[in-house]
């Protein structure tokens, strides 16, 4: 009989406030801060300091490939997050749901930016490409190629008509979105460009690199007539395409490279964050102030020149014509002073330098400026911390820090209470008590570097073994450290409870294994009872004790030593019993089963070994992980084992059959520790990525053979995706200057969708033949036609159409590209029937257009395609024109309602009304120009 097992699934992850890789950003309201938390995005209410929502991707792929790399917020409630696998997810922050997933990049997404209206999204990636996405249509518009290295930032200009991208190739590129080409390449940087931004009025564009200065560019705008607004005096062809003109530089204070440059929303402040601990805040002066500053600068320069000349005149009394010549050169001073040239230092003035306690990962200005201050700035630090600063004229003040919901460094140990109601975790400077079911932090206690921990059976006290050799006694109820005991001469590596006794055992690097007893007593001179711990006995070992484990009957104690062996002694007499020898590197973890029959050891040699505790024989040695095995633990009352390692994986084993049951992915860095609940219904893991994850046992059953097949399929698919593309395919040539390509990319989903469409086209064709034959045979006799049950009662046309219901709009292009020409022709024949469905007109238009673009030459050369195209073109134009008229009528009606409401209350629609009048003025001007050109053509024909 085949045995069934119960599956474990990831249930929750907590402890991460802000991960290191991605940026932070405020939402459009300014009330919430969006912070990356590994694969999730946390929405933090700034004033309350609480995480109100968590945006979690519901994807089958987990782990480092799904880490958030970039976040952007739109003017509406939409949020875009870019991931390590190249995907982009659009979230509705109000609902907390994922609206769509956009697949196009082959590398990690490094930059995201919305345009001012929020209708377009630009993304840059490690694959050197920039992709423009239609947010409303949920599709990729086009891919812009030209950069020779990773794209680091993107920004829209000219109300979304142009796009500027920066890259590690040291160049800026200006792209024209309408014509889809690169119109300007800007050089001048001596190192990689890491960030760029533009102010609200689009006067200045600033770039930050590893150079010692920030570079500024003035932006040339075009009027409605197509003439340049600033710099119209240059009429050369070169200046026609010059959107960015070098304005100047300003020296930075820090020597570290620039990580982020950002203007605040009002355009009065500029922040320059370096890859260190400082942020430089610059104040942007208005035109009048800048001119006054320039005049003062010129005046000071002139005075210096005068004083210098006076000194020279005293020294050279017999000076002649040369001095006169110098005097005449000074006469240009008043002219220069009357209209001085404004430079970058005249506009940008260093206001403050913010110094954080740790390295800064990202910054974000609050879009709403608070009262009595110039602005508010949020910082994410590399020690899992968010800080908020208020920028005032005279100083900067730290207003808030979000730090309690996570550890500042690695989670080194996790321990569950006997009733599984709370969890204790340790790191380099704090002990935290958590509710494992909700993930909320209940207590935070300052401590030493905790390497191991234990919650005593009473659930009132916890013990922490530190790197300094002390044992800290933690009162869980009050959240305080009651006592710090000097326990060992070296670091305390392991703590194990003695079953059925008020005692525990510690193992240390000082070669000692110590037995302790505890009791709750009232100390003399103190009112409350306290836990009193005393050393009972000590067992000397030959080497550092790395791990200690006690058998459930308290008969044996197993000690793992630095010499790669495990020594088993009798716990009462310390008499030697067994030596477990076989590991090539030191044993880092071990556990004994509930029945005392098996002991499992995990080592730095990447193996786990299963031993019999009766004779010390090795039942099986398994190559378990791709790196050191850091923790192993039996599920109570079973021979099932969990193991975790530095390869970021959690593995579930059957120690009787020596089979791998499950591999659980989720952590983004080395996993250090593991705790299994006493009922085995969930496990908890702690990692170098500072997250604590809970994995729950579900009611879903699985079989070993099925899991093996699934793993083989995943390996095969991974080989298709990676190895075939990288190893066997021809290397992609460097794209030509400003090349444009398709936005989407072929995925397993698009190939599956193509296969489904082909399959349904074949079934529908066969069904149509059967219907035709049935009609011929039974033209006189009335007989019921037996339809194909696979078609679910649908007509052949509707059956084919249903194949598109699960195809995402972003994947439609790649799905149709994989269709053979014969199937594309069949698909075109169905389009005329689909146009009768009012809700499918847009889909039909897209399918028709994409098929015609893809197979244009073949369609021209195929006589069989002509009747299909003729019928399609007539119906297609008629249906589209009908819907266009309906939309036009509705838009005109809404405009009319808006005008009526504006006439009643000017305040509400003042901006909309002025914009509407402006648009109408442009339209009337275009109509006049068209009528003029029409009259000219008629006159020419008459003549």
């Amino acid at each position: 009989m085949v045995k069934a097992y119960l599956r474990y699934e990831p249930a929750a992850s907590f402890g991460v406030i802000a991960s290191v890789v991605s940026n932070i950003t405020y939402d459009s309201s300014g009330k919430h801060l969006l912070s990356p938390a590994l694969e999730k995005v946390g929405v933090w209410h700034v004033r309350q300091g609480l995480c109100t929502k968590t945006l979690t991707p519901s994807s089958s792929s987990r782990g480092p490939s799904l880490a958030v790399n970039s976040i952007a917020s739109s003017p509406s409630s939409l949020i875009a997050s870019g991931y390590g696998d190249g995907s982009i997810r659009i979230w509705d922050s109000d609902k907390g749901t994922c609206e769509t997933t956009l697949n196009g990049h082959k590398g990690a997404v490094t930059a995201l930016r919305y345009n001012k209206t929020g209708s377009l999204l630009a993304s840059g990636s490690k694959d050197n490409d920039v992709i423009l996405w239609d947010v409303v249509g949920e599709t990729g518009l086009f891919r812009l190629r030209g950069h020779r290295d990773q794209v680091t930032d993107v920004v829209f200009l000219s109300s979304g008509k142009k796009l500027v991208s920066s890259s590690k190739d040291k160049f800026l590129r200006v792209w024209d979105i309408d014509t889809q080409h690169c119109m300007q390449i800007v050089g001048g940087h001596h190192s990689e460009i890491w960030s760029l931004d533009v102010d609200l009025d689009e006067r200045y564009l600033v770039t930050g690199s590893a150079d010692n200065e920030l570079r500024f560019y003035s932006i040339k705008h075009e009027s409605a007539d197509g003439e340049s607004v600033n710099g119209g005096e240059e009429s050369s062809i070169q200046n026609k395409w010059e959107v960015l003109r070098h304005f100047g530089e300003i020296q930075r204070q820090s020597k570290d490279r620039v990580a982020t440059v950002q203007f605040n929303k009002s355009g009065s402040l500029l922040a320059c964050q370096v890859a260190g601990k400082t942020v430089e805040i610059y104040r942007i002066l208005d035109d009048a102030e800048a001119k006054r500053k320039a005049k003062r600068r010129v005046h000071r320069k002139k005075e210096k020149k005068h004083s210098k000349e006076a000194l020279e005149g005293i020294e050279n009394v017999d000076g002649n014509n040369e001095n006169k010549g110098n005097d005449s050169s000074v006469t240009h001073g008043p002219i220069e002073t009357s209209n001085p040239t404004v430079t970058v230092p005249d506009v940008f003035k260093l206001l403050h330098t913010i110094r954080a306690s740790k390295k800064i990962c990202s910054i974000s200005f609050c879009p709403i400026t608070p009262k009595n201050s110039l602005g508010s700035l949020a910082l994410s630090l590399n020690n899992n911390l968010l800080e908020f600063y208020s920028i005032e004229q005279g100083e900067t003040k730290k207003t808030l820090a979000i730090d309690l919901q996570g550890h500042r460094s690695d989670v080194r140990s996790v321990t569950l209470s006997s009733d599984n109601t709370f969890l204790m975790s340790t790191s380099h400077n704090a002990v935290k008590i958590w509710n494992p079911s909700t993930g909320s932090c209940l207590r935070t206690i300052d401590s030493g570097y905790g390497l191991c921990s234990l919650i005593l059976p009473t659930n009132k006290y916890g013990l922490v073994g530190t790197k300094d050799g002390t044992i800290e006694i933690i009162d869980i109820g009050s959240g305080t450290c009651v006592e710090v005991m000097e326990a060992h001469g070296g670091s305390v590596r392991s703590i194990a409870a003695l079953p059925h006794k008020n005692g525990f055992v510690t193992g240390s690097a000082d070669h000692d294994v110590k037995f302790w007893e505890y009791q709750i007593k009232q100390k003399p001179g103190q009112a409350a009872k306290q836990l009193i711990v005393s050393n009972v006995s000590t067992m000397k070992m030959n080497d550092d004790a790395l791990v200690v484990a006690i058998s459930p009957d308290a008969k044996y104690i197993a000690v793992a030593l630095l010499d790669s062996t495990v020594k088993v002694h009798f716990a009462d007499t310390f008499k030697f019993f067994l030596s477990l020898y076989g590991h090539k590197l030191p044993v880092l973890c071990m556990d004994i089963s509930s029945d005392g029959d098996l002991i499992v050891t995990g080592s730095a040699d990447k193996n786990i070994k299963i031993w019999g505790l009766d004779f010390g024989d090795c039942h099986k040695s398994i190559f378990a992980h791709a790196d050191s095995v850091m923790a192993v633990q039996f599920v109570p009352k079973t021979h099932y084992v969990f193991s975790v390692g530095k390869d970021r994986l959690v593995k579930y084993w059957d120690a009787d059959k020596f089979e791998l049951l499950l591999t659980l992915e989720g952590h983004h860095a080395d996993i250090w520790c593991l705790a299994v609940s006493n009922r085995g219904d969930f496990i908890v893991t702690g990692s170098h990525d500072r997250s604590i994850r809970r994995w729950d046992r579900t009611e879903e059953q699985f079989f070993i053979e099925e899991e093996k097949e699934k793993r083989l399929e995943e390996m095969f698919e991974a080989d298709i995706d990676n190895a075939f593309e990288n190893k066997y395919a021809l290397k992609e040539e460097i794209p030509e200057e400003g090349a444009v390509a398709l936005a989407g990319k072929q995925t397993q989903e698009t190939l599956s969708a193509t296969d489904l469409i082909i399959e349904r086209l074949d079934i529908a064709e066969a069904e149509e033949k059967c219907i035709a034959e049935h009609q011929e045979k039974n033209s006189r006799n009335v007989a019921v036609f037996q339809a194909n049950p696979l078609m679910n009662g649908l007509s052949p046309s509707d059956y084919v159409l249903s194949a598109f219901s699960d195809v995402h709009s972003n994947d439609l292009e790649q799905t149709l590209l994989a269709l053979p020409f014969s199937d594309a022709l069949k698909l075109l024949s169905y389009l005329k029937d689909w146009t009768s469905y009012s809700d499918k007109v847009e889909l039909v238009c897209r399918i028709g257009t994409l098929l015609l673009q893809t197979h244009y030459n073949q369609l021209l050369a195929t006589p069989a395609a002509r009747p299909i195209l003729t019928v399609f073109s007539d119906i297609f134009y008629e249906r589209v024109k009908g819907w266009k008229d309906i939309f036009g009528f509705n838009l005109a009606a809404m405009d009319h309602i808006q005008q009526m409401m504006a006439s009643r209350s000017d305040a509400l629609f003042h901006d909309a009304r002025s914009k509407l009048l402006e648009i109408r003025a442009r339209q009337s001007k275009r109509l006049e120009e068209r009528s003029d050109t029409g009259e000219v053509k008629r006159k020419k024909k008459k003549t």
Side-chain angles (χ1 to χ4, degrees), residues 898-935:
Q898 196 170 346
Q899 278 182 323
M900 285 172 67
M901 291 183 76
S903 62
R904 291 175 192 169
S905 165
D906 266 354
L908 284 170
F909 290 91
H910 181 71
D911 293 339
R913 192 179 180 186
S914 61
K915 282 181 182 177
L916 193 68
L917 290 168
E918 190 181 327
I919 292 162
R920 283 181 175 171
R922 284 181 192 171
Q923 285 177 340
S924 60
K925 194 174 181 181
R926 284 174 190 164
L927 287 168
E928 282 173 13
E929 285 173 358
R930 283 177 188 171
S931 62
D932 290 342
T933 50
E935 282 176 14

Side-chain angles (χ1 to χ4, degrees), residues 83-381:
Y83 293 82
D85 60 356
S87 64
I88 298 166
R89 284 171 174 77
I90 309 292
W91 305 85
D92 188 323
S93 60
D94 292 341
K95 299 175 188 172
T97 55
C98 181
E99 297 294 301
T100 184
T101 303
L102 307 170
N103 289 306
H105 288 293
K106 292 176 183 175
V109 178
T110 52
L112 286 172
R113 187 88 66 145
Y114 279 97
N115 65 345
K116 283 182 180 177
T117 57
S119 59
L120 294 177
L121 176 70
S123 64
S125 167
K126 283 186 178 177
D127 61 9
N128 309 349
D129 294 346
V130 177
I131 298 180
L132 205 71
W133 306 91
D134 177 4
V135 178
V136 180
E138 298 179 358
T139 56
L141 298 176
F142 47 85
R143 183 190 300 264
L144 300 169
R145 288 180 166 172
H147 282 295
R148 299 289 189 269
D149 207 336
Q150 170 186 326
V151 178
T152 53
D153 210 347
V154 286
V155 68
F156 284 95
L157 291 181
S158 307
S159 304
K161 291 182 180 178
K162 292 180 182 67
L163 184 75
V164 183
S165 59
S166 64
S167 169
K168 283 188 178 181
D169 62 8
K170 307 176 189 177
F171 290 104
L172 294 175
R173 283 179 177 265
V174 184
W175 308 87
D176 191 307
I177 290 171
D178 294 334
T179 57
Q180 300 175 17
H181 81 286
C182 180
M183 59 190 298
Q184 187 185 1
I185 301 172
V186 182
H189 290 85
H190 305 294
S191 57
E192 299 165 338
I193 306 169
W194 287 95
S195 181
L196 79 159
D197 200 14
V198 65
D199 66 335
L200 186 69
D201 300 327
E202 294 187 5
R203 292 186 302 163
Y204 308 111
L205 182 135
V206 59
T207 61
S209 64
D211 302 345
N212 290 329
E213 64 274 337
L214 291 175
R215 282 180 172 262
F216 291 86
Y217 297 87
S218 57
I219 302 163
K220 186 182 82 173
H221 296 282
E222 288 185 359
S223 63
D225 306 328
E227 295 177 0
S228 63
V229 174
N230 50 348
E233 68 274 358
E234 292 92 351
S235 56
S236 65
I237 297 166
Q238 187 180 356
N239 288 334
K240 185 184 176 184
W241 303 105
E242 194 180 46
V243 177
L244 300 179
R245 183 176 299 166
H246 186 242
F247 179 46
E249 295 98 8
I250 193 166
Q251 290 296 317
R252 298 191 289 112
Q253 304 293 311
S254 175
K255 291 181 180 179
D256 296 316
R257 72 164 179 85
V258 173
T260 313
V261 287
Q262 192 176 25
F263 286 96
N264 68 340
K265 195 168 182 182
S266 62
S268 61
L269 295 174
L270 169 68
C272 170
Q273 174 231 331
V274 300
K277 298 181 181 180
T278 60
V279 180
E280 294 168 13
I281 309 291
Y282 295 88
R283 185 163 168 262
I284 304 163
L285 306 178
D286 58 25
D287 292 339
E289 281 181 296
K291 281 177 183 175
R292 280 200 297 273
K293 197 174 175 185
K295 279 182 183 178
R296 286 198 299 271
R297 175 175 50 80
V298 172
H299 186 67
R300 280 197 303 271
K301 193 177 178 183
K302 196 175 81 168
E303 281 182 349
K304 278 183 185 178
K305 199 171 185 181
H306 272 302
S307 60
K308 192 179 178 183
E309 284 171 0
L311 286 168
E312 283 176 4
I314 291 163
E315 286 173 7
N316 307 319
V317 183
D318 12 285
N320 44 15
N321 295 330
E322 286 178 9
N323 288 338
K324 287 176 186 176
N326 289 336
D327 292 337
S328 64
S329 66
V330 180
T331 55
H332 296 289
I335 300 163
E336 195 183 354
T337 312
S338 62
N339 191 15
T341 306
V342 176
T343 59
V344 173
D346 297 331
V347 182
F348 296 89
K349 177 188 174 185
L350 182 65
L351 188 66
H352 298 297
T353 300
I354 298 172
R355 284 180 173 81
S357 56
K358 290 286 180 180
K359 190 178 176 183
I360 302 166
C361 298
S362 176
I363 59 168
S364 181
F365 271 113
C366 180
I368 296 164
T369 306
K371 290 179 182 178
N372 305 322
S373 71
L374 298 173
S376 179
L377 187 71
L379 276 63
S380 72
L381 308 186

Side-chain angles (χ1 to χ4, degrees), residues 656-675:
D656 290 332
K657 294 185 177 180
F658 319 123
E659 289 276 7
L660 174 63
L661 304 178
L662 284 176
T663 301
L664 305 173
E665 291 183 56
H667 278 290
H668 295 241
D670 310 354
I671 306 174
W672 290 114
C673 47
L674 163 75

Side-chain angles (χ1 to χ4, degrees), residues 564-578:
S564 307
T565 62
V566 176
K567 306 291 185 189
V568 183
H569 294 256
F570 288 97
D572 49 358
T573 61
F574 300 160
K575 188 180 176 183
F576 176 75
F577 175 53
L578 292 170

Side-chain angles (χ1 to χ4, degrees), residues 502-545:
N502 289 340
F504 60 92
V505 183
T506 57
S508 170
D510 64 358
H511 301 194
D512 286 351
V513 174
K514 291 188 177 183
F515 287 73
W516 307 79
E517 278 187 357
Y518 61 84
Q519 49 190 335
I520 299 169
K521 277 185 181 180
Q522 188 171 344
K523 281 187 178 180
Q526 289 186 352
K529 288 183 179 181
Q530 281 191 352
L531 185 80
I532 296 168
V533 176
S534 56
N535 183 16
V536 179
S537 55
T538 303
M539 184 168 67
K540 293 281 184 185
M541 306 304 293
N542 298 326
D543 213 331
D544 293 15

